[in-house]
């Protein structure tokens, strides 16, 4: 029986590999990719090669208004019967900036908008359209541990603050620096785990929410907004690390993501999946008070336009 999986971040890197894997391994899947208007149609056409069923909805994930419109369009297409039943959402898109001062059209810090709030809009808009059993998979990062073991000191650990502060630019010391941008990234990934725990508590039975960590994956598009030296290192030098236990290849990480989405990897709702297995995330990532606080802030922030 045909079913729909909605996916962000399918255009490159592990998302592209995962999308291809999902379509190859699940012929009944209708993959709906959310991508910028300038690239979405081409992406859908490329993925549909070989007779796969793929469509797209345009969105700028850095704009909550654009995300709201995309989510509403998907909901409407489901209601009209233009799409088969919804059984999956994959929030794989992610971004990292060279500072903590990049502001989107809503007046919010862009890292937090893309990595946390955009997913929340999709989940909340579509939650009563899921046909059980269903899976929500959010791509997170082991940078949320904030220790040398997990990121070799390349990314500062998260610095938690009130979610209303984190959603605005300048939340961290020396916000104009690369270190602040990377702190915004690791903190956003901690926030994403918090929301996965809240989804597991609040969503109806049969809709599972999973946090997926691909590990350190060199050569993806994550550093596309980084400085030239960092981009060169990520594209030319870091890929060699996939020959060591410290990194995951793009193909392996994409395959692991597809395993989680297709439930090949067994994981109860609220789980943290580290590549191919369920694991425990950082001690800091289990904090019901922060999780509830973030939920309430995300609800307020995404419920209505922040700028007229």
């Amino acid at each position: 029986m045909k079913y729909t999986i909605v996916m962000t971040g399918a255009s490159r890197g592990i998302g592209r590999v995962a999308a291809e894997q999902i379509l190859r391994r699940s012929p009944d899947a209708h993959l709906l990719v959310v991508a910028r208007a300038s690239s979405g149609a081409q992406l859908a056409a490329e993925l549909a090669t070989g007779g796969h069923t793929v469509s797209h909805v345009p969105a700028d994930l850095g704009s909550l208004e654009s995300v709201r419109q995309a989510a509403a369009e998907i909901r409407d297409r489901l209601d009209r019967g233009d799409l088969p039943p919804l059984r999956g959402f994959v929030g794989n898109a992610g971004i990292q900036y060279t500072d903590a001062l990049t502001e989107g059209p809503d007046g919010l810090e862009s890292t937090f908008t893309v990595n946390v709030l955009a997913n929340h809009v999709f989940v909340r808009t579509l939650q009563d359209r899921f046909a059980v059993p269903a899976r929500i998979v959010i791509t997170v990062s082991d940078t949320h541990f904030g220790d040398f073991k997990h990121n070799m000191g390349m990314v500062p650990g998260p610095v938690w603050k009130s979610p209303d502060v984190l959603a605005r630019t300048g939340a961290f010391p020396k916000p104009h620096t690369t270190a602040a941008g990377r702190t915004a990234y690791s903190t956003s990934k901690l926030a994403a785990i918090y929301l996965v725990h809240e989804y597991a508590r609040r969503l109806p039975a049969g809709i599972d929410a999973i946090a997926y960590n691909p590990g350190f994956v060199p050569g993806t598009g994550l550093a596309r907004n980084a400085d030239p030296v960092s981009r060169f290192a990520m594209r030319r030098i870091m890929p060699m690390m996939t020959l060591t236990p410290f990194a995951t290849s793009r193909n392996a990480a994409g395959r692991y993501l597809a395993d989680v989405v297709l439930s090949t990897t067994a994981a109860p709702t609220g789980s943290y999946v580290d590549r191919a297995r369920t694991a425990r995330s950082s001690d800091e990532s289990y904090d019901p008070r922060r999780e509830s606080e973030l939920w309430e802030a995300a609800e307020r922030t995404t419920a209505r336009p922040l700028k007229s």
Side-chain angles (χ1 to χ4, degrees), residues 7-251:
M7 183 174 187
T8 69
S11 61
R12 57 169 68 86
I14 68 173
R16 180 62 177 259
V17 174
E20 293 169 352
Q21 287 272 328
I22 290 166
L23 291 166
R24 185 179 305 121
R25 291 158 53 183
S26 184
D28 288 336
H30 178 130
L31 186 65
L32 191 158
V33 294
V34 179
R36 289 183 179 272
S38 59
S39 59
Q42 180 178 346
L43 172 62
E46 291 172 357
L47 289 171
T49 302
H52 302 303
T53 307
V54 186
S55 59
H56 81 284
V57 167
D60 173 4
L61 298 181
S63 162
L64 290 183
E65 181 57 31
S66 179
V67 176
R68 289 187 194 97
Q69 291 174 3
E73 180 177 339
I74 296 168
R75 184 190 61 208
D76 291 346
R77 288 176 62 181
L78 288 163
D79 291 348
R80 293 195 303 267
D82 295 342
L83 293 170
L86 178 65
R87 292 195 181 273
F89 170 74
V90 188
N92 178 65
I95 198 71
Q96 178 178 305
Y97 290 93
T98 55
D99 57 38
L101 294 171
T102 305
E103 184 178 282
D106 307 286
L108 301 173
E109 196 276 322
S110 294
T111 311
F112 200 80
T113 300
V114 174
N115 296 355
V116 182
L117 298 177
N119 290 328
H120 192 68
V121 172
F122 282 115
V123 170
R124 294 291 279 147
T125 303
L126 298 174
Q127 76 171 60
D128 59 355
R129 266 60 175 189
F130 282 101
V132 298
R135 263 197 174 186
I136 294 165
V137 181
I138 307 297
T139 299
V140 295
S141 167
D142 52 12
T143 59
H144 86 276
F145 280 91
D147 58 17
F148 186 86
K149 175 183 176 181
H150 288 90
N151 61 54
M152 295 172 287
M154 292 185 293
V155 180
V159 178
W160 191 254
K161 299 186 178 185
S162 162
D164 292 319
V165 173
L166 294 174
R168 300 290 178 173
T169 58
F172 307 103
K174 298 181 180 179
H176 61 284
T177 64
T178 299
R182 291 175 178 170
T183 301
Y185 176 79
S186 63
T187 305
S188 74
K189 293 303 184 178
L190 176 62
I193 297 173
Y194 285 152
L195 281 182
V196 165
H197 293 164
E198 281 294 298
Y199 298 149
R201 279 191 283 265
R202 294 173 182 265
L203 295 181
I207 306 175
D208 294 342
I210 311 294
Y212 165 69
N213 167 47
F216 174 55
V217 186
T220 67
L222 181 64
R224 58 189 175 274
N225 291 308
D227 60 272
V229 174
S230 296
R231 290 200 306 270
F232 177 81
M234 284 292 290
R235 293 174 180 172
R236 303 299 182 185
I237 299 174
M238 294 298 185
M240 292 185 290
M241 293 185 66
T242 57
L243 303 175
T244 76
F246 296 106
T248 312
S249 72
R250 184 187 70 163
N251 286 340

